[in-house]
Amino acid sequence: YSGSRAHAAGIGYVVLQSGRTVAWMRICLWVITAPVLLMQISDIATVRFYGISLSTMQIPMSIITVVFAFSAEVSVDEGVKWMFFVLALLTLFEVLFVAYHSLSRGIARFAEVETEEGNQVAKRLRALLVIFLSTWLLHPLFFVLSIEGACVMHESVTIVLYILLDLFCKNLFQIILWDSLWVRLLGKWR
């Protein structure tokens, strides 16, 4: 993994005044990749609340989530750190709520078709829902358990876990999504 080599070389990390290193490159990658992933999810079904499209709010909310999470990670003051963490959680819950409803509506729509292809796509969307929710919910848990939070996990364990999470929440998710959309549905959800 190139991130491990980058870490060994000191690339993609900033050293705080306290001497602790923070992986800013991982945060930048999230700012770039999360909106792409969420755009693909919102293409499955639009979620509206009182006529307002929550699907379009999902992308800015994901960026705000990452900014709050990074602010929590670099905060020296404990109160400020946990304030940013709570703000990141609140915005993350909006992102998860919309993604859940988009994927659930897609599952229902394809299950209603009652064809082999419709059932296969519905099954894949269920897998995407499980992968998405579980991996995105593990990020805040790892923060709480890591050196930034309760200091229960060693930093090297946290790095490996974040790499594995990225592998599942981005790469595996995209492979299943790509196969469902382009191989099975020829590029159109509807």
Side-chain angles (χ1 to χ4, degrees), residues 26-73:
R26 185 183 51 140
I27 303 302
C28 290
L29 290 173
W30 265 94
V31 167
I32 294 166
T33 58
V36 172
L37 199 117
L38 294 171
M39 278 190 292
Q40 293 173 340
I41 291 173
S42 66
D43 283 347
I44 296 169
T46 302
V47 177
R48 295 189 177 283
F49 183 72
Y50 290 109
I52 299 170
S53 172
L54 296 180
S55 299
T56 57
M57 292 173 53
Q58 201 175 18
I59 293 165
M61 290 301 270
S62 74
I63 294 170
I64 292 169
T65 300
V66 173
V67 169
F68 282 150
F70 184 69
S71 298
E73 196 170 342

Side-chain angles (χ1 to χ4, degrees), residues 20-117:
R20 188 169 55 86
T21 59
V22 176
W24 65 266
M25 185 180 292
R26 185 183 51 140
I27 303 302
C28 290
L29 290 173
W30 265 94
V31 167
I32 294 166
T33 58
V36 172
L37 199 117
L38 294 171
M39 278 190 292
Q40 293 173 340
I41 291 173
S42 66
D43 283 347
I44 296 169
T46 302
V47 177
R48 295 189 177 283
F49 183 72
Y50 290 109
I52 299 170
S53 172
L54 296 180
S55 299
T56 57
M57 292 173 53
Q58 201 175 18
I59 293 165
M61 290 301 270
S62 74
I63 294 170
I64 292 169
T65 300
V66 173
V67 169
F68 282 150
F70 184 69
S71 298
E73 196 170 342
V74 298
S75 293
V76 179
D77 182 84
E78 288 295 312
V80 172
K81 175 194 301 189
W82 292 109
M83 176 196 71
F84 279 125
F85 177 77
V86 169
L87 290 172
L89 271 183
L90 291 173
T91 54
L92 176 65
F93 287 143
E94 188 277 340
V95 169
L96 296 176
F97 174 82
V98 174
Y100 171 80
H101 284 285
S102 292
L103 289 165
S104 294
R105 288 178 182 174
I107 292 166
R109 188 173 67 235
F110 285 103
E112 285 175 2
V113 175
E114 295 183 5
T115 64
E116 181 61 32
E117 184 175 274

Side-chain angles (χ1 to χ4, degrees), residues 155-168:
E155 190 174 11
S156 61
V157 173
T158 307
I159 290 169
V160 170
L161 290 174
Y162 278 133
I163 291 169
L164 290 173
L165 276 181
D166 280 352
L167 181 68
F168 284 100

